[in-house]
Structure formats: structure tokens, C-alpha cells
Amino acid sequence: MPRGPGDPGATDPRRPLERKTSAVTERRSVPSRSRPTPPAGRPDRAAPVTAPDPGARERIHLEILRRTGAYRTGDHFLLPSGHHAPEFIDKALVTTEPSFTEGLGDVIAKHFAPWPADIVLSTGPGALILAHCVARALPSRPILVYATKGFTEQGRRVRLPDEFTRFVVRGSKVLVVEDLITTGETIRLLIQMVEAVGGSVVGIGCLWQRATKINLGTDVFSLVKRDFPTYEPTSCPLCARGLALNTEFARAEPPTEEPLAPPRGRRQPT
């Protein structure tokens, strides 16, 4: 026979059920484990935290690039420019392994976390994939945009697509992310573009920095900072040693840059 609300032992539907204390709840009152207290007279000295060796860290990153096939070494390469070199970096293969790219992006994001960015800016397909991983890992939750490269009557230029111009404005804090820095020309153009609208570049993150002696005016953090030599065919020591020439990458055409069209005018709301 069902009990009514006034019967002894009946459960009032308006009051939440009282849950019995479980073993899990009881365990919550147990103090958390801590390091044992050192004996009297002996100071408590925790093991010092040492920063990773930059050389070891770079070797790890080189090995990651080697596994993707992007970094080739120990050969006699004919470059698309016509020069010869003992090493080669294939930009098209840098970001083909998503898990590796995410890990490399995390390292760059961790370095720049103390300088919050509103925008992550990049150029090119490979750099854009790396920049996406960096932006995803940054605690400041920045917006990701890209710029296009090309030529105008004034020479080589970079420009934001019209859809992105409303993001990079006065006061914007921009982190530039590139996959490969060789001469630094593209980076300088990006910095000029940001500063022209009143924004500022808080840093530059890249996967590989070949130009190690250039000054870009702001902090550059590269996972690999290595400039391998290139030789003219007439004075190549690899040719002098009789090493066969690897022409696998000579057929790779350098990326072409189309003329930049003038920005489209924004339609005014009616």
C-alpha cells in the first residue's frame, strides 16, 4: 500500500534525496599525498628544474622533419635555383604529418604564451597549417588570418584578403608564424603591413630559420636555426669529390606569385 506524504517514513518529493556517504566521499577527506618530511637537520632540497638543451631540442625537431621526408641530408642535391647543396628542406612536406605539426605548434605557442596575441598571421599553405596549430594552442585564443604575396607596380608586396582587413587594426597584437625564413623579406613586409594600420608584432615564430644573422627588429623563435651551405656548380666541393648529383628536387618549380589585384571597395550598408 503506497504511503502518503504525511505517513511516517514517506519521502517528501519536494526535498532532494539524501545520498549515503560512500567510500569515495570518505576518501576525499583524506589529505593528499605529499613528499615525506626530511629528517631533522637535513634541508629539503628539491631537484632543480633545468631547461632543455637547445642543441638536443633542435636535434629532436630535425629528426621529426627527417621522418616526414621534409629534411634530406647526406647527399649532393641540385636545388631549383641551380645551386648545389649537401642538405635540402622540402617545404611541401613539412606539415604532412598532423600529429608532428600539432606538437611543433605547441612548442611555438608555449614560447609566446607570456605575450598574448590577438592575431596569428601567416602566408602560404604550409605556414598556414603550422599557424593554425600555434593559434589553437595559444591561451589567448587569437584569430587566425593569412596574407597573400605578389607583385605590384611598387614591387613585391603582401596584402590581407578583404575579409580579414577588419581584424588587423590599430592596437592589434600580432604573432607572425612562418614555416621557413631564408632572407626575411616576407617577414619584413608583414611587419610593415601590420604597423601601417597601427598594429604591433609581438613576435615571430618559425619552423626553420636559415638566415641566422638577419635582424627583423623583434623576437624570433625558431625550432631549427640552421643554415646549410650552397655552392655554385663551378666551385662545388661535392662535385670535386665526384659525388653523383641528385636532381630529384631540381624539377620542383618555385612557388609563383601572381600580381596583386587592388582591394575591392566595401559596399556601404544602406
Side-chain angles (χ1 to χ4, degrees), residues 79-236:
L79 305 182
S81 63
H83 293 83
H84 296 189
E87 305 175 35
F88 184 77
I89 177 75
D90 190 351
K91 293 175 59 174
L93 298 177
V94 165
T95 55
T96 53
E97 290 283 352
S99 59
F100 289 160
T101 309
E102 287 181 2
L104 297 174
D106 287 345
V107 176
I108 296 175
K110 184 177 181 180
H111 176 82
F112 287 105
W115 300 278
D118 308 317
I119 308 290
V120 172
L121 171 65
S122 71
T123 62
L128 184 58
I129 295 174
L130 178 63
H132 178 276
C133 295
V134 175
R136 190 167 180 263
L138 281 170
S140 59
R141 302 176 63 85
I143 293 174
L144 173 65
V145 300
Y146 66 87
T148 55
K149 297 183 288 186
F151 290 92
T152 65
E153 295 179 354
Q154 290 76 33
R156 195 164 182 261
R157 291 288 184 271
V158 294
R159 184 172 66 82
L160 287 172
D162 295 327
E163 294 78 8
F164 295 155
T165 54
R166 63 190 179 95
F167 296 119
V168 183
V169 295
R170 180 176 298 277
S172 295
K173 298 178 181 179
V174 180
L175 174 63
V176 176
V177 175
E178 277 289 330
D179 49 2
L180 181 65
I181 297 179
T182 302
T183 64
E185 181 183 2
T186 301
I187 299 294
R188 291 191 182 93
L189 292 174
L190 291 173
I191 293 174
Q192 293 172 7
M193 180 188 70
V194 171
E195 293 179 345
V197 297
S200 61
V201 174
V202 299
I204 302 165
C206 73
L207 181 64
W208 189 304
Q209 183 181 359
R210 283 194 60 190
T212 58
K213 297 182 180 180
I214 61 173
N215 182 13
L216 297 174
T218 188
D219 179 33
V220 179
F221 176 73
S222 57
L223 301 181
V224 176
K225 188 174 291 187
R226 181 182 178 87
D227 190 5
F228 52 82
T230 58
Y231 309 106
E232 293 287 346
T234 55
S235 58
C236 175

